[in-house]
């Protein structure tokens, strides 16, 4: 599936801005609440913050031939490369790395990602070095928007805040969810569920 590169960039930055604003709303008692799985809110925010950190870091490291050219493919490859428990452990560490002023840390990372992205000409789609190997920027950007949107909603729910990403961010994240379903052959059951014809199986997820 193709998507407009300019729109994908705009969605990522809008998602980052929304997430930064959400983190600024958090109060001291929020940070130790249960977040997602084994993570508390600090670890969940730390994991989500990595979407901004990795974008800026990866943009600085060019790669050769791409291993990954599709957004859905990225998630499948990343899941295969992750050691059991590694993602959970990185989330806990990332939460601690937010420091004493997490909102300021997230805001600074957003600006760093914005500046790094601005250095890439709008008409270029470079191959960058990611955890799965060389990846087209056009395939990687939507994964960062998806992470910020979905985990931002997780943070809001954990903290009892009624917050949702901008419509353009939700649309981009929804596009990614469909790409993930297509990558794993799950589009038929999604279509049937979304049109009210049948329920999804218990525990269904487009994520590998």
């Amino acid at each position: 599936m193709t998507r407009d590169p300019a729109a994908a960039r705009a969605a990522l930055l809008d998602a980052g801005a929304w997430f930064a604003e959400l983190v600024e709303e958090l109060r001291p008692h929020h940070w130790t609440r249960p977040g997602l799985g084994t993570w508390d809110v600090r670890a969940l925010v730390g994991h989500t913050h990595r979407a901004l950190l990795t974008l800026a870091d990866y943009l600085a490291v060019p790669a050769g031939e791409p291993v990954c050219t599709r957004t859905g493919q990225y998630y499948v490859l990343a899941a295969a490369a992750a050691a059991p428990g590694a993602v959970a452990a990185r989330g806990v560490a990332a939460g601690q790395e937010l420091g004493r002023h997490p909102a300021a840390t997230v805001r600074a990372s957003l600006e760093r990602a914005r500046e790094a992205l601005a250095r890439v000409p709008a008409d270029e789609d470079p191959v960058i070095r990611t955890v799965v190997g060389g990846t087209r920027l056009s395939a990687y950007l939507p994964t960062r928007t998806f992470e910020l949107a979905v985990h931002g909603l997780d943070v809001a729910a954990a903290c009892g805040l009624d917050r949702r990403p901008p419509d353009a961010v939700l649309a981009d994240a929804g596009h990614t969810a469909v790409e993930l379903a297509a990558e794993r052959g799950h589009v038929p059951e999604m279509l049937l569920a979304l049109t009210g014809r049948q329920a999804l199986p218990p525990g269904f997820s487009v994520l590998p």
Side-chain angles (χ1 to χ4, degrees), residues 17-196:
W18 173 76
F19 180 69
E21 290 169 3
L22 175 64
V23 174
E24 287 168 350
E25 290 191 53
L26 303 188
R27 296 297 173 259
H29 67 277
H30 287 135
W31 293 97
T32 55
R33 286 189 179 188
L36 180 70
T38 60
W39 288 333
D40 60 11
V41 168
R42 175 174 279 272
L44 176 56
V45 170
H47 170 79
T48 311
H49 169 238
R50 281 179 53 80
L52 299 171
L53 281 180
T54 56
L55 176 60
D57 289 344
Y58 292 164
L59 281 170
V61 186
E65 290 298 313
V67 172
C68 177
T69 58
R70 303 186 305 277
T71 297
Q73 180 190 24
Y74 175 87
Y75 275 100
V76 172
L77 293 173
V87 174
R90 281 199 302 269
V92 173
Q96 295 305 312
E97 289 165 5
L98 291 170
R100 296 181 59 186
H101 304 288
T105 301
V106 171
R107 181 66 66 176
S109 295
L110 170 61
E111 293 311 310
R112 181 169 170 254
R114 188 191 307 276
E115 292 167 2
L117 195 56
R119 289 193 287 270
V120 180
D123 60 347
E124 291 187 8
D125 188 17
V127 180
I128 57 177
R129 192 174 303 283
T130 73
V131 67
V132 304
T135 303
R136 287 285 179 194
L137 179 61
S138 60
Y140 187 68
L141 274 181
T143 72
R144 302 307 89 192
T145 301
F146 188 80
E147 294 289 311
L148 290 162
V150 174
H151 285 316
L153 288 168
D154 289 335
V155 171
C159 297
L161 299 174
D162 183 16
R163 301 291 181 270
R164 53 178 282 166
D167 288 345
V169 172
L170 290 171
D172 193 89
H175 191 156
T176 295
V178 173
E179 290 189 349
L180 274 163
E183 192 75 27
R184 304 183 66 218
H186 292 326
V187 172
E189 51 262 58
M190 273 188 66
L191 284 175
L192 292 171
L194 291 173
T195 54

